């Protein structure tokens, strides 16, 4: 990869999170000096700042010190089933507002600020492949918080160069097992005979986290991306059954699947498959990894 952005400074909120680590790797390879926020209570390494998004003064101090050229805002409560609803809204909405406020007040303005929303904002739609113009119909608190974040961000669209991304489901090595595919992979890695899952009749657009990180890097460097919203997706839907079949083939055995009613969510979004044409038009070709290859990578990690 050409060192396209040598010397530029990137700030990643949620640096130590699943996605943050891959985005950091991608940006460093492109020549950026990477800084990031991590959750308070963790030991901060070089270029890391243990600061809460709800600490306005602390956040402003980080912005003053780093003076970022680009910002990738990934810090969030990212699990749909997170138990503390108040925290979902505080972090995802108020935390984002605090960050935008600090960036707008900074002497040096970044050239791009990427805000990670979610494809969950679309909810249940009868559209086969979802484009960015499909009306939002959030079906859970997480999705409502992400849509609220998008509306809050509009208050800064004349002051900051904002890019909103709506990632569909994605996975990879290091994702927590309370997410579906890592849970399935870990059961096969342990040679478990049985697994308990929720609704099996759901279709998802699963991407590889490495493609997601690559798309974020390319959007941050694309002037045409400013002011736009992008679906981050493969454009291909897989049923849960297909994913299980792929893992059976990789691991060499079939697992017994039991549907646990406790894992079946109310208002479950049945089909979530995205249109990525706007994304590819802005970034050029992306390394789309077939789901079977991603699962194989996770299984052998």
């Amino acid at each position: 990869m050409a060192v396209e952005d040598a010397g530029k400074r990137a700030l990643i909120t949620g640096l130590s999170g699943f996605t943050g680590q891959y985005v950091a790797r991608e940006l460093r390879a492109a020549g950026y000096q990477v800084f990031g926020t991590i959750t308070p209570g963790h030991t901060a390494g070089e270029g890391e700042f243990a600061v809460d998004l709800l600490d306005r003064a602390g956040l402003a101090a980080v912005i003053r010190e780093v003076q970022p050229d680009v910002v990738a805002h990934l810090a969030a409560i990212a699990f749909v089933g997170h138990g503390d609803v108040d925290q979902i809204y505080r972090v995802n909405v108020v935390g984002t507002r605090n960050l935008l406020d600090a960036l707008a007040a900074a002497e040096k303005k970044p050239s791009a600020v990427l805000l990670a929303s979610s494809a969950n904002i679309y909810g249940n739609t009868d559209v086969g492949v979802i484009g960015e113009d499909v009306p939002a119909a959030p079906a859970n608190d997480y999705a409502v918080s992400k849509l609220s974040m998008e509306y809050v961000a509009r208050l800064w669209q004349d002051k900051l160069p904002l890019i909103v991304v709506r990632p569909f489901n994605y996975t990879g090595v290091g994702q927590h097992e309370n997410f579906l595919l890592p849970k399935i992979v870990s059961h096969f890695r342990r040679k478990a005979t049985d697994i308990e899952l929720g609704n099996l009749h759901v279709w998802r657009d699963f991407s590889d986290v490495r493609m997601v990180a690559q798309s974020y890097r390319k959007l941050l460097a694309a002037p045409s991306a400013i002011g736009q919203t992008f679906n981050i997706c493969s454009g291909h839907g897989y049923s849960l059954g297909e994913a299980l079949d792929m893992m059976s083939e990789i691991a060499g055995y079939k697992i017994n699947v039991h549907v646990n009613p406790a894992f079946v969510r109310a208002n479950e979004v049945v089909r979530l498959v995205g249109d990525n044409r706007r994304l590819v038009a802005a970034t050029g070709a992306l390394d789309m990894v077939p789901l079977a290859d991603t699962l194989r990578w996770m299984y052998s990690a």
Side-chain angles (χ1 to χ4, degrees):
M1 189 192 296
V3 182
E4 62 202 39
D5 291 295
K8 287 191 178 176
R9 299 162 75 84
L11 176 68
I12 300 171
T13 68
L15 177 65
S16 57
F18 168 55
T19 315
Q21 295 172 57
Y22 287 95
V23 174
R25 198 174 303 164
E26 189 75 28
L27 291 176
R28 284 191 186 108
Y32 287 92
Q33 192 177 353
V34 174
F35 302 86
T37 69
I38 63 170
T39 313
H42 293 76
T43 306
E46 191 182 344
E48 295 179 348
F49 301 88
V51 65
D52 195 307
L53 288 174
L54 300 176
D55 175 4
R56 294 182 64 181
L59 211 47
V62 170
I63 302 299
R64 279 195 303 274
E65 185 169 338
V66 174
Q67 296 186 31
D69 294 291
V70 299
V71 178
H73 176 41
L74 311 180
I77 301 297
F79 181 52
V80 173
H82 186 77
D84 187 342
V85 173
D86 281 1
Q87 192 185 30
I88 291 175
Y89 286 103
R90 281 198 306 272
V91 173
N92 295 0
V93 184
V94 180
T96 300
R97 191 189 188 286
N98 290 344
L99 176 69
L100 295 173
D101 207 25
L103 289 168
E107 226 169 289
K108 177 188 169 184
K109 299 288 188 289
S111 62
V113 179
L114 182 141
L115 303 174
S117 179
S118 169
N120 255 280
I121 66 126
Y122 296 116
N124 267 312
T125 171
D126 52 10
V127 178
V129 179
I130 299 167
E132 289 87 352
D133 300 327
V134 168
N140 52 59
D141 283 297
Y142 168 73
V144 173
S145 78
K146 284 298 193 178
L147 185 60
S148 303
M149 181 208 78
E150 289 191 25
Y151 279 111
V152 162
R154 289 183 186 180
L155 303 177
W156 276 270
Q157 63 191 3
D158 58 336
K159 303 177 188 76
L160 291 168
L162 302 178
I163 302 163
V164 173
V165 291
R166 293 173 179 163
F168 284 65
N169 293 65
Y170 62 92
T171 191
V173 173
Q175 189 176 37
H176 197 281
E177 282 180 31
N178 59 9
F179 289 88
L180 182 62
L181 291 186
K183 174 181 175 176
I184 291 171
V185 172
S186 81
H187 274 68
F188 276 99
R189 285 183 71 180
R190 296 199 304 268
K191 306 289 184 210
T193 54
D194 298 76
I195 187 169
E196 289 192 342
L197 296 170
N199 188 356
L200 300 181
H201 301 290
V202 293
W203 282 258
R204 291 292 182 267
D205 185 328
F206 289 111
S207 291
D208 188 297
V209 66
R210 295 166 294 186
M211 183 282 283
V212 173
Q214 183 189 50
S215 67
Y216 289 2
R217 169 181 63 81
K218 288 190 167 190
L219 287 171
L220 284 167
S224 64
I226 304 300
Q228 291 207 66
T229 297
F230 297 92
N231 286 340
I232 311 293
C233 55
S234 71
H236 187 91
Y238 300 91
S239 72
L240 191 46
E242 285 175 297
L244 284 162
D245 288 345
M246 286 179 200
M247 271 314 305
S248 293
E249 202 169 308
I250 291 164
Y253 79 97
K254 278 206 175 304
I255 198 166
N256 299 312
V257 180
H258 308 277
V259 175
N260 183 338
F263 296 157
V264 177
R265 291 196 191 111
N267 301 320
E268 179 75 85
V269 176
V270 177
R271 184 178 175 85
L272 205 53
V273 180
D275 181 342
N276 65 10
R277 285 176 296 179
R278 184 186 292 181
L279 171 66
V280 174
T283 62
L286 292 162
D287 298 331
M288 296 292 179
V289 183
L291 179 58
D293 290 357
T294 303
L295 293 173
R296 205 170 282 113
W297 170 51
M298 293 165 69
Y299 182 72
S300 61

